[in-house]
Amino acid sequence: DDITTIAYAAFYNMPKLEEVVLGPDIYMIKYYAFGNCTSLKKVTLPAKLTNFYRGVFYNCSSLEEVTGNVLVSSYAYYGCSSLKSIELPETTDEIYTYTFANCTSLKEITIPEDVDNIDSYAFENCKSLTNLDISENCSIRTYAFSGCTGLKEATVGDYVESYAFKDCTSLTKVNLPTTEKCNLREGAFYNCTSLVEITGDMYQVWAETYYNC
């Protein structure tokens, strides 16, 4: 009960670890603390957790369930290819680079209203994700959803950076903001070969925004 911090790479590469329940006084988990624990299936995070460093569950390919005070960071769940859904707290205001990249089984995630930035490659290659609903004031950075080949419909914010949805080949409908015009940067929907419907209004469209659509 006296433990408050999980140190850098403390449990890295422990192939037999299957479940983690962290004590109530833990407020900090450092870099790659449980990285590459390829048999880890279930994690319970404590309510006091406030510091959640890069790559905590990096490449935990068997991870199926994360409950408690779920936080995010760069590479936090990178390569968690068995994770099908995750619930982020309403206090979440940003999703960082590569946070859920290569979570190939991820089907459901609700982006909280307060999220105003989804960073580069945050959901790259989340091939099972089918629908996406993002608030109008959220910026979507480069390659954030590239390679999400199962994505069919996306409601996006007012700023979509270059190649944010590149190679989303099942995407058929995009809903742009209705209260303000959307700025679509170069190649935003590059090679979205199934795209047939776009609603809302655009402020600016750059080169290759709809290339090969």
Side-chain angles (χ1 to χ4, degrees):
D1 291 342
D2 294 332
I3 297 174
T4 60
T5 300
I6 305 296
Y8 165 76
F11 297 93
Y12 190 87
N13 198 29
M14 294 187 65
K16 295 183 179 181
L17 184 65
E18 295 187 359
E19 183 174 357
V20 171
V21 179
L22 295 177
D25 292 327
I26 291 175
Y27 72 93
M28 181 184 297
I29 306 176
K30 291 194 173 182
Y31 304 95
Y32 299 97
F34 297 95
N36 211 38
C37 291
T38 53
S39 296
L40 183 61
K41 295 180 180 181
K42 183 177 180 180
V43 173
T44 304
L45 298 172
K48 289 184 179 180
L49 185 63
T50 55
N51 295 48
F52 193 76
Y53 286 72
R54 174 193 289 252
V56 171
F57 298 109
Y58 178 89
N59 201 37
C60 291
S61 55
S62 297
L63 187 61
E64 298 176 349
E65 184 178 353
V66 183
T67 59
N69 186 20
V70 178
L71 300 185
V72 294
S73 63
S74 299
Y75 293 89
Y77 305 96
Y78 181 98
C80 293
S81 54
S82 298
L83 190 65
K84 294 181 179 179
S85 66
I86 192 166
E87 185 174 347
L88 300 178
E90 290 300 317
T91 53
T92 305
D93 58 9
E94 182 172 4
I95 299 176
Y96 303 92
T97 182
Y98 290 104
T99 297
F100 295 103
N102 290 329
C103 290
T104 53
S105 297
L106 186 65
K107 294 181 179 181
E108 297 179 15
I109 186 167
T110 300
I111 309 295
E113 284 287 327
D114 287 343
V115 171
D116 59 12
N117 187 63
I118 297 176
D119 215 341
S120 301
Y121 303 96
F123 291 90
E124 184 187 37
N125 292 330
C126 289
K127 299 178 184 297
S128 298
L129 198 63
T130 56
N131 289 282
L132 187 62
D133 191 353
I134 297 172
S135 69
E136 293 191 352
N137 296 318
C138 182
S139 296
I140 303 173
R141 304 300 179 183
T142 56
Y143 298 94
F145 294 93
S146 63
C148 292
T149 53
L151 188 63
K152 296 179 180 180
E153 182 173 350
T155 298
V156 303
D158 58 5
Y159 187 69
V160 181
E161 276 195 0
S162 302
Y163 305 102
F165 291 90
K166 181 178 182 290
D167 295 330
C168 291
T169 51
S170 297
L171 185 63
T172 59
K173 183 178 181 181
V174 174
N175 304 306
L176 303 178
T178 55
T179 59
E180 54 185 304
K181 294 183 179 181
C182 183
N183 189 348
L184 299 175
R185 304 292 290 189
E186 178 182 357
F189 297 100
Y190 188 98
N191 202 38
C192 292
T193 53
S194 299
L195 187 59
V196 294
E197 183 178 358
I198 301 170
T199 65
D201 204 355
M202 299 168 230
Y203 159 68
Q204 194 169 16
V205 179
W206 291 66
E208 296 185 334
T209 295
Y210 298 107
Y211 180 87
N212 204 32
C213 293

